[in-house]
Amino acid sequence: QVHLVESGGGSVQAGGSLTLSCAASGLTYSTRCMGWFRQAPGKEREGVAVMSTGRRGSTYYADSVKGRYTISQDNAKTTWYLQMNSLKPEDTAMYYCAAGSDWDCSKMAPVGYGFWGQGTQVTVSS
């Protein structure tokens, strides 16, 4: 059973930085994408950064975070990170780590992810 645990959320002023971590266990060969998603109150969950689990480790980002967010993994591929810089108030949301079997990680569609962490809150004040 896949188990994901996020950490690292918190409150920060606009322009600040945070790094989220996702500790993963139980991943199998069918896990093709590891992603970070977020959901703000009253809004749909959206993908912000995804990394393929293949050798290339291709990364994909939502337009709203390109150049500010970076997804990465440790060498053991058991922990994924989301480095968030130049944070804006509109980045405020609950952030989730997810594991998916989608063949196309670039889609960043929540429906392609079957396993989710409990979420960690990120609040950016102006």
Side-chain angles (χ1 to χ4, degrees):
Q1 181 73 8
V2 176
H3 189 54
L4 305 173
V5 179
E6 304 98 332
S7 60
S11 297
V12 65
Q13 288 191 327
S17 299
L18 282 174
T19 300
L20 306 182
S21 299
C22 173
S25 61
L27 298 179
T28 69
Y29 68 92
S30 64
T31 302
R32 300 185 183 92
C33 314
M34 290 297 296
W36 286 97
F37 294 76
R38 69 185 181 187
Q39 188 167 18
K43 294 188 176 181
E44 293 187 354
R45 189 168 298 189
E46 63 173 350
V48 293
V50 171
M51 173 179 276
S52 67
T53 59
R55 178 178 297 182
R56 291 184 178 179
S58 300
T59 57
Y60 308 91
Y61 298 93
D63 289 342
S64 59
V65 307
K66 279 182 182 176
R68 300 189 298 120
Y69 288 16
T70 303
I71 186 172
S72 62
Q73 64 184 20
D74 67 350
N75 289 336
K77 293 188 177 182
T78 58
T79 304
W80 276 259
Y81 304 96
L82 185 67
Q83 174 68 43
M84 306 183 293
N85 298 325
S86 302
L87 284 162
K88 306 174 181 180
E90 50 264 44
D91 294 320
T92 295
M94 185 71 78
Y95 282 70
Y96 299 89
C97 174
S101 58
D102 203 329
W103 284 103
D104 184 357
C105 296
S106 68
K107 290 192 296 185
M108 292 196 291
V111 68
Y113 292 75
F115 301 97
W116 295 82
Q118 81 286 355
T120 185
Q121 178 68 37
V122 172
T123 302
V124 184
S125 58
S126 58

